[in-house]
Amino acid sequence: MAAINADPEVMRWIRDGSVRDEQQTREGIRAWESEWESHGFGLFAVEFRSTGELAGFTGLSLPHYLPEVLPAVEVGWRLGRSHWGRGLATEAAEAAVRFGFEERGLERIVSITQVGNDASERIMTKLGMHPVRETVHPTGGRRVRVFELSSDQYLTATR
């Protein structure tokens, strides 16, 4: 994960675009693990079954960095650049959304991306999400777009 977080192209659309070192990655993983303990959901490692190679992560988290959307739960993902364009992020995010609605009984899930990150917006659209607002990231200062999917919309689409 540290190698993925150290890639400037991977981190381009994350907050202010800064890369993270190994210590920052370890701290992030500890925070992700505590969400599982506190909320019963969190981030999943995305690995290849055949090799066990880490491709990145996907999962659910609380977007504390954007208080105006709370109490929503966010689905997010981050993959190493060598794994882009293969449908992995979509497949993994679909599993996380299904887990959120079917296993955790969430009422709505959002996904937040910086304006201009067309690849992430395509994934959000494939998940059945629709844009609901644009705002400014309070610490990064960049414009972000919030997409949303309600449990009713999810259930209707999966029937």
Side-chain angles (χ1 to χ4, degrees), residues 13 113-118 121 134-135 142-145:
W13 299 108
T113 190
Q114 290 184 22
V115 173
N117 187 347
D118 297 334
E121 287 197 16
E134 276 190 30
T135 189
R142 295 182 177 183
R143 293 209 56 77
V144 294
R145 192 167 288 137

Side-chain angles (χ1 to χ4, degrees), residues 81-132:
R81 192 176 353 165
S82 64
H83 305 299
W84 292 357
R86 301 162 137 189
L88 292 173
T90 301
E91 179 183 351
E94 285 172 343
V97 166
R98 183 172 49 253
F99 173 77
F101 287 131
E102 295 181 13
E103 301 295 323
R104 292 299 178 248
L106 299 176
E107 291 297 316
R108 77 181 176 126
I109 296 175
V110 300
S111 196
I112 303 161
T113 190
Q114 290 184 22
V115 173
N117 187 347
D118 297 334
S120 282
E121 287 197 16
R122 280 191 297 276
I123 293 168
M124 294 169 190
T125 301
K126 289 177 186 176
L127 295 173
M129 300 182 124
H130 58 279
V132 292

Side-chain angles (χ1 to χ4, degrees), residues 27-48:
E27 291 167 8
I29 291 170
R30 279 193 290 275
W32 301 338
E33 289 172 344
S34 74
E35 278 202 325
W36 277 103
E37 294 168 15
S38 301
H39 306 294
F41 56 78
L43 300 179
F44 299 94
V46 176
E47 298 177 337
F48 290 96

